């Protein structure tokens, strides 16, 4: 799967280990006409008049989709650099966002006394209303940051958590309860604001398939996601789910339980034509020019052709496609190629 991405200046810690950009109105900003309506039409596969675009970490003024998110509890001060409210500590060795180097539940005995962060703590949503107000007419996506399975591995440790799933399922369930209960309360509070979608970030794929057997995924994780998705959809909002790697085996399940958008940054590991054949017309795809190879190594014309292929193939059934643009210098994306990707997605609408 794609390595953890670069951490540019301007990112701030979130309690779940996520980082977010502080969205400020860029110089020369002008309102995007009907960005929200165009994006909703794409999400619902209702033949939007153009392809909506999602700029992830720069050039926000050109994006139809804007992220907002929650904040650390008021007064939270890490006891060591990189520590989150959950108690794990990020280690950054290069230009990427890094990975946790300590796990507060590495010792299984710690489960008895561990207390997760309080989702209702003061300060969590202090800036959300003002942040939304900066972007009139945009599709507002409330991001939960790094979620679910990934968050559980940060608490327990990757190998230990996978072992628990097989050998001590009750222990794995207890760790998941910490994570999903917190997220569900954050979702409840987020739905009080004028957001259009709630997004999850849970990387599940290797190059070949899911990190666990699909049957185990369906038994342990599908019900937990289903409950969260139902909460969002009953409020009239959209469900947006990001996952890297080859996650073909769970896409049908995500769609069945209510995912409206699936964000896939390596469509080539599953095959663009295969994705369109198996799931076209059933969900909206948000995809990048494949980050693992094409956005890094291809030239301008090949990138332009690939962006058109994504739109025409994945978005062929009612226009269910959103173009995704991210500066991914930590993977070797040059500034020139970033501009090619940016140009390629804008060219779809000319």
């Amino acid at each position: 799967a794609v390595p953890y991405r670069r951490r540019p200046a301007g990112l701030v810690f979130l309690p779940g280990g996520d980082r977010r950009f502080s969205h400020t109105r860029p110089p020369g900003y002008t309102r995007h006409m009907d960005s929200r309506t165009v994006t909703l039409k794409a999400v619902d596969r209702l033949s939007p008049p153009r392809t909506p675009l999602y700029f992830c970490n720069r050039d926000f003024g050109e994006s139809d989709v804007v992220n907002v998110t929650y904040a650390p509890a008021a007064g939270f001060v890490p006891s060591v650099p990189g520590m989150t409210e959950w108690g794990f500590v990020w280690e950054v060795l290069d230009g990427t966002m890094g990975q946790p180097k300590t796990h507060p539940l590495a010792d299984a005995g710690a489960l008895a006394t561990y207390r997760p962060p309080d989702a209702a703590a003061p300060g969590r949503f202090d800036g959300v209303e003002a942040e939304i107000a900066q972007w009139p007419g945009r599709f507002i996506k409330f991001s939960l940051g790094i979620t679910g399975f990934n968050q559980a591995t940060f608490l327990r440790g990757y190998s230990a958590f996978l072992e628990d799933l097989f050998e001590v399922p009750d222990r794995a369930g207890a760790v998941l309860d910490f994570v999903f209960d917190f997220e569900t309360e954050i979702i409840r509070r987020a739905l009080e604001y004028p957001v259009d979608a709630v997004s999850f970030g849970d990387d599940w794929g290797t190059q070949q398939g899911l990190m666990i057997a699909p049957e185990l995924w369906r038994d342990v994780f599908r019900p937990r996601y289903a409950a969260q998705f139902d909460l969002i959809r009953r409020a009239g909002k959209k469900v947006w789910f990001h996952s890297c790697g080859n996650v073909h085996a769970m896409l049908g399940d995500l769609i069945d339980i209510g995912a409206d958008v699936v964000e896939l940054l390596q469509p080539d590991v599953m095959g663009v034509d295969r994705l369109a054949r198996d799931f076209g017309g059933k969900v909206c795809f948000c995809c990048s020019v494949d980050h693992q190879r094409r956005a890094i190594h291809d030239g301008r014309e090949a990138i332009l052709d690939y962006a058109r292929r994504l739109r025409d193939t994945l978005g062929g059934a009612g226009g269910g496609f959103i173009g995704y643009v991210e500066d991914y210098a930590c993977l070797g994306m040059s500034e020139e190629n970033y501009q090619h990707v940016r140009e390629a997605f804008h060219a779809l609408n000319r």
Side-chain angles (χ1 to χ4, degrees):
V2 171
Y4 282 114
R5 59 199 66 173
R6 184 182 184 184
R7 186 178 65 167
L11 283 172
V12 295
F13 277 100
L14 283 183
D18 186 21
R19 286 99 160 114
R20 67 169 177 173
F21 287 87
S22 176
H23 290 297
T24 55
R25 188 168 296 194
Y29 169 84
T30 56
R31 176 172 177 164
H32 278 212
M33 196 67 174
D34 293 326
S35 283
R36 179 176 181 270
T37 301
V38 169
T39 305
L40 283 169
K41 284 184 175 292
V43 173
D44 291 332
R45 304 178 302 285
L46 296 176
S47 301
R50 61 177 177 83
T51 299
L53 304 180
Y54 172 31
F55 281 74
C56 174
N57 62 351
R58 60 183 279 194
D59 296 320
F60 301 121
E62 302 174 32
S63 186
D64 294 294
V65 179
V66 173
N67 265 335
V68 299
T69 190
Y70 65 101
F76 170 70
V77 178
S79 58
V80 297
M83 176 172 280
T84 73
E85 287 183 282
W86 292 87
F88 55 81
V89 178
W90 287 91
E91 181 178 47
V92 180
L93 301 178
D94 50 25
T96 69
M97 68 192 298
Q99 62 184 22
K101 66 176 181 178
T102 63
H103 310 285
L105 300 180
D107 179 350
L111 270 80
T113 57
Y114 181 74
R115 295 293 179 266
D118 180 4
R124 293 255 183 251
F125 285 79
D126 284 358
V128 169
E129 190 171 1
E131 199 165 3
I132 292 172
Q134 291 183 16
W135 300 97
R138 306 299 179 95
F139 182 95
I140 304 297
K141 180 165 74 71
F142 186 93
S143 172
L144 296 173
I146 300 175
T147 58
F149 167 71
N150 289 176
Q151 187 80 334
T153 64
F154 296 168
L155 292 176
R156 179 81 172 104
Y158 183 82
S159 297
F161 183 73
L162 290 187
E163 291 171 5
D164 288 347
L165 285 172
F166 288 94
E167 298 176 359
V168 195
D170 288 347
R171 182 188 297 159
V175 176
L176 289 173
D177 286 345
F178 287 140
V179 174
F180 277 82
D181 288 352
F182 175 88
E183 291 173 3
T184 297
E185 182 57 29
I186 292 291
I187 291 169
R188 291 185 194 279
R189 299 190 64 195
L191 293 174
E192 298 174 3
Y193 293 84
V195 301
D196 298 299
V198 176
S199 69
F200 300 77
D202 215 354
D203 289 342
W204 269 106
T206 68
Q207 292 296 108
Q208 291 75 38
L210 297 185
M211 297 181 195
I212 63 175
E215 296 77 16
L216 182 60
W217 187 92
R218 294 183 183 108
D219 182 50
V220 176
F221 291 92
R222 174 172 166 147
R224 287 178 164 87
Y225 291 134
Q228 292 179 325
F229 291 9
D230 183 62
L231 178 64
I232 296 164
R233 290 173 66 88
R234 282 191 287 110
K237 311 300 183 180
K238 306 299 184 183
V239 175
W240 186 303
F241 199 98
H242 161 92
S243 199
C244 279
N246 185 339
V247 295
H248 185 277
M250 76 178 193
L251 290 182
D253 292 272
L254 290 177
I255 294 167
D256 286 347
I257 61 177
D260 297 289
V261 181
V262 291
E263 182 181 296
L264 309 172
L265 308 187
Q266 299 164 269
D268 279 359
V269 301
M270 290 164 279
V272 174
D273 292 332
R274 183 187 181 202
L275 286 170
R277 182 187 69 236
D278 293 346
F279 307 113
K282 300 177 182 178
V283 73
C284 177
F285 292 93
C286 177
C287 290
S288 62
V289 172
D290 189 274
H291 277 165
Q292 193 165 14
R293 299 180 182 86
R294 298 179 185 272
I296 310 301
H297 303 296
D298 282 0
R300 178 178 179 274
E301 292 304 318
I303 288 172
L304 287 168
D305 288 344
Y306 190 82
R308 283 192 293 267
R309 183 184 172 214
L310 289 175
R311 178 200 61 187
D312 295 344
T313 305
L314 300 179
F321 178 73
I322 298 168
Y324 179 102
V325 185
E326 180 174 4
D327 181 348
Y328 230 141
C330 68
L331 289 183
M333 179 188 286
S334 64
E335 176 64 21
E336 181 180 36
N337 268 31
Y338 171 79
Q339 295 300 336
H340 291 334
V341 171
R342 176 172 168 265
E343 175 192 358
F345 280 117
H346 278 306
L348 301 180
N349 295 321
R350 288 200 290 270

